[in-house]
Amino acid sequence: MTTTETDTTHPRTISRLAVVSETYCRAGIHLAREAHLRTIFRDFRFSEFKARAIFDKAMVAPERVGLIYAVPGADEPLAEEGLCDFASVQMGEHFLGNGNLIATVHTLNISPKLTGTLLGGKVALRIVHAVRHWANTLGCAHVTMHVTNGKNAEDADQFFRRCGMVTIGGNYCWSP
């Protein structure tokens, strides 16, 4: 399944949902590796095998796992380092509840080239809207976002609150 939306504020940036392509997989892994180095878990060795498994799940069950990409433009070939942003989201039931579905964003990675820029904020906002659209289309009652970047948690909190999200808890970590 492929969904393409053009951003009217920056016409060269588009988002795509679950594109079946080795090129997108490689670009997603590249960006995930870069983003991993900026998280609190950067001392863990990055697993390309695990990253590829997420891509494979999305290809087998796109109604359960969504991969949402922001790319430079519809007509430009995608280079491995060409992604602007990438999100991985999974849909399922609450671990103790029945009936309602929840979409959980496991990662939202923005290109280091765009981090801290106005364009980066716009691209991240488009990805959040694309995640919300994906979740609504599948009938999810909630969308949850896990933030583990560790460096600018306050900025992430501000951004997600501006997107209309509310805090329902927090990520806490003890490092010996």
Side-chain angles (χ1 to χ4, degrees):
M1 174 171 83
T2 301
T3 302
T4 303
E5 296 179 17
T6 302
D7 181 349
T8 56
T9 60
H10 189 21
R12 295 172 41 90
T13 303
I14 61 172
S15 57
R16 293 185 179 152
L17 173 62
V19 176
V20 182
S21 160
E22 178 63 20
T23 302
Y24 277 82
C25 178
R26 296 291 323 144
I29 289 171
H30 177 82
L31 186 55
R33 180 182 286 111
E34 285 184 338
H36 176 75
L37 294 173
R38 297 187 316 265
T39 72
I40 194 168
F41 303 111
R42 63 189 162 276
D43 56 328
F44 295 4
R45 193 177 76 234
F46 179 80
S47 172
E48 186 169 325
F49 176 80
K50 287 182 176 183
R52 182 168 286 281
I54 294 167
F55 179 83
D56 292 343
K57 284 181 191 176
M59 297 307 100
V60 172
E63 72 285 354
R64 301 287 287 186
V65 179
L67 299 175
I68 301 168
Y69 300 92
V71 297
D75 298 328
E76 297 177 34
L78 181 64
E80 186 170 287
E81 64 282 345
L83 283 182
C84 299
D85 200 348
F86 161 73
S88 170
V89 58
Q90 187 168 346
M91 187 263 299
E93 290 186 344
H94 183 268
F95 74 106
L96 294 175
N98 262 343
N100 292 334
L101 299 173
I102 298 171
T104 302
V105 179
H106 291 284
T107 186
L108 193 150
N109 302 317
I110 190 159
S111 169
K113 297 178 283 194
L114 299 178
T115 301
T117 68
L118 182 59
L119 177 58
K122 288 180 179 182
V123 171
L125 184 59
R126 284 201 42 79
I127 290 289
V128 169
H129 287 302
V131 165
R132 185 178 293 149
H133 176 74
W134 181 82
N136 287 340
T137 300
L138 295 172
C140 294
H142 300 280
V143 176
T144 61
M145 183 83 57
H146 298 281
V147 178
T148 58
N149 58 12
K151 288 187 176 182
N152 58 351
E154 294 82 15
D155 292 343
D157 179 63
Q158 251 184 344
F159 173 77
F160 290 119
R161 286 178 186 274
R162 284 190 201 131
C163 291
M165 300 182 94
V166 296
T167 303
I168 59 168
N171 294 315
Y172 300 91
C173 181
W174 175 71
S175 299

